[in-house]
């Protein structure tokens, strides 16, 4: 058996030549513009849940700028686990929509909004975001039909708020129920090298408030920053052109 295996096994030199030939054949693909854009610049993602509604809804397709915060092993597919260095590092800003790998399960990508940077103190009081002991400005908006994002009838009304962070970033949040499970929390102090993230659909989002499920997000887990919706389909598979464009 041993002799037969040695007879049919390719020599080391043969294997090296095969590897070289394969690499040469792959060069056009590796240096093609679509591959370079996908690998280094922008990565597409689709939205499978309503945790970021109304900013992002089920059926949206978005681009994430991979260069926004630098590159780590989570920036590229099949990167080895021992690759721990992050290069071209940049820190997210308040209100950024970030794609990241869950600290509890690094095989899963999430999209949430950054509301806390290292050293910040975060708390929820009666559904209002408290940042460093100050209530974040929010203005009530007219209720809107959309109960499906809250798990109810589509025609049911949903409370909306326009929230504005200290750097001026402004966006709309949904408030499905009063005194929801995470509407009142303890004070969270964001550790160095980490972020605190929330979903815009505050009562239907697993985010940093759920310490056992997600908790603080390491910056090394960042994949990129969501920049725009490039395609969107409704439940019937019809395009929603009105949703295309930049997001905030």
């Amino acid at each position: 058996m041993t002799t037969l295996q040695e007879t049919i096994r390719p020599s080391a030199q043969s294997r090296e030549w095969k590897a070289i030939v394969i690499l040469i054949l792959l060069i056009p693909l590796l240096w093609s513009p679509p591959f370079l854009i996908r690998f280094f610049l922008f990565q597409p993602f689709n939205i499978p849940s309503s945790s970021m509604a109304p900013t992002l809804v089920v059926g949206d397709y978005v681009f994430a700028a991979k260069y926004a915060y630098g590159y780590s092993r989570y920036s590229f597919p099949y990167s080895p686990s021992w690759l721990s260095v992050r290069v071209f590092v940049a820190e997210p800003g308040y209100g950024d929509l970030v794609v990241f790998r869950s600290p509890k399960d690094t095989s899963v990508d999430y999209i949430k909004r950054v509301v806390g940077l290292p050293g910040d103190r975060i708390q929820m009081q009666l559904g209002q975001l408290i940042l460093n002991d100050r209530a974040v400005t929010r203005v009530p908006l007219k209720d809107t039909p959309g109960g499906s994002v809250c798990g109810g009838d589509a025609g049911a009304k949903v409370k909306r708020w326009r929230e504005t962070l200290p750097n001026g970033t402004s966006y709309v949040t949904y408030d499905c129920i009063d005194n929801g499970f995470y509407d009142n929390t303890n004070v969270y102090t964001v550790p160095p090298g980490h972020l605190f993230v929330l979903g815009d659909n505050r009562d239907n989002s697993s985010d940093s408030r759920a310490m056992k499920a997600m908790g603080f997000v390491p910056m090394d887990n960042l994949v990129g920053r969501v920049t725009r919706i490039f395609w969107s389909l409704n439940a019937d598979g019809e395009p929603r052109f009105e949703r295309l464009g930049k997001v905030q």
Side-chain angles (χ1 to χ4, degrees):
M1 179 65 71
T2 302
T3 303
L4 178 60
Q5 286 179 336
E6 290 176 350
T7 302
I8 64 174
R9 182 184 300 137
S11 66
Q13 185 176 11
S14 174
R15 291 197 301 270
E16 290 176 0
W17 273 109
K18 286 183 178 179
I20 292 172
V21 170
I22 292 172
L23 181 60
I24 292 174
L25 293 175
L26 285 176
I27 287 176
L29 171 64
L30 295 177
W31 287 99
S32 64
F35 183 87
L36 291 176
I37 291 173
R38 168 68 170 77
F39 202 77
F40 291 105
L41 300 180
F42 296 98
Q43 182 171 346
F45 293 90
N46 73 294
I47 307 302
S49 76
S50 59
S51 68
M52 284 302 300
T55 306
L56 301 173
V57 300
V58 176
D60 284 348
Y61 291 78
V62 301
F63 278 132
K66 302 180 72 170
Y67 56 84
Y69 310 121
Y71 298 92
S72 73
R73 67 188 179 97
Y74 296 115
S75 303
F76 309 108
Y78 312 114
S79 296
S81 59
W82 50 262
L83 184 62
S84 59
V85 178
R86 190 173 190 86
V87 296
F88 307 119
V89 179
E91 188 173 278
Y94 290 120
D96 283 6
L97 292 177
V98 295
V99 180
F100 60 93
R101 295 291 178 88
S102 167
K104 306 300 182 182
D105 182 359
T106 55
S107 67
V108 181
D109 293 304
Y110 283 84
I111 297 178
K112 303 291 179 185
R113 190 179 296 278
V114 175
V115 299
L117 301 176
D120 284 343
R121 296 181 305 280
I122 306 294
Q123 187 178 21
M124 299 296 295
Q125 293 182 357
L126 298 176
Q128 185 164 20
L129 174 62
I130 310 297
L131 175 58
N132 294 324
D133 305 319
R134 293 186 177 183
V136 170
T137 301
R138 66 172 185 167
V139 177
L141 302 175
K142 184 179 179 180
D143 294 356
T144 184
S148 58
V149 300
C150 296
D153 295 331
K157 294 296 184 71
V158 179
K159 289 183 180 179
R160 298 186 303 155
W161 299 86
R162 175 161 291 281
E163 196 168 81
T164 304
L165 294 171
N167 65 347
T169 300
S170 183
Y171 46 89
V172 176
T173 66
Y174 277 167
D175 184 10
C176 293
I177 56 175
D178 294 330
N179 295 316
F181 189 76
Y182 289 116
D183 278 354
N184 295 280
T185 69
N186 296 323
V187 177
Y188 306 101
T189 300
V190 186
H194 289 71
L195 303 168
F196 195 95
V197 298
L198 292 177
D200 289 350
N201 188 357
R202 294 290 163 80
D203 292 314
N204 283 281
S205 174
S206 178
D207 46 44
S208 291
R209 296 171 295 179
M211 282 291 156
K212 291 184 178 180
M214 180 173 292
F216 303 112
V217 176
M219 289 195 191
D220 285 345
N221 287 36
L222 292 174
V223 175
R225 176 170 57 85
V226 176
T227 57
R228 66 175 56 245
I229 300 170
F230 69 88
W231 190 241
S232 184
L233 297 173
N234 63 21
D236 296 323
E238 298 174 344
R240 295 179 292 205
F241 295 108
E242 72 278 4
R243 292 199 54 77
L244 307 188
K246 292 183 178 179
V247 296
Q248 186 167 349

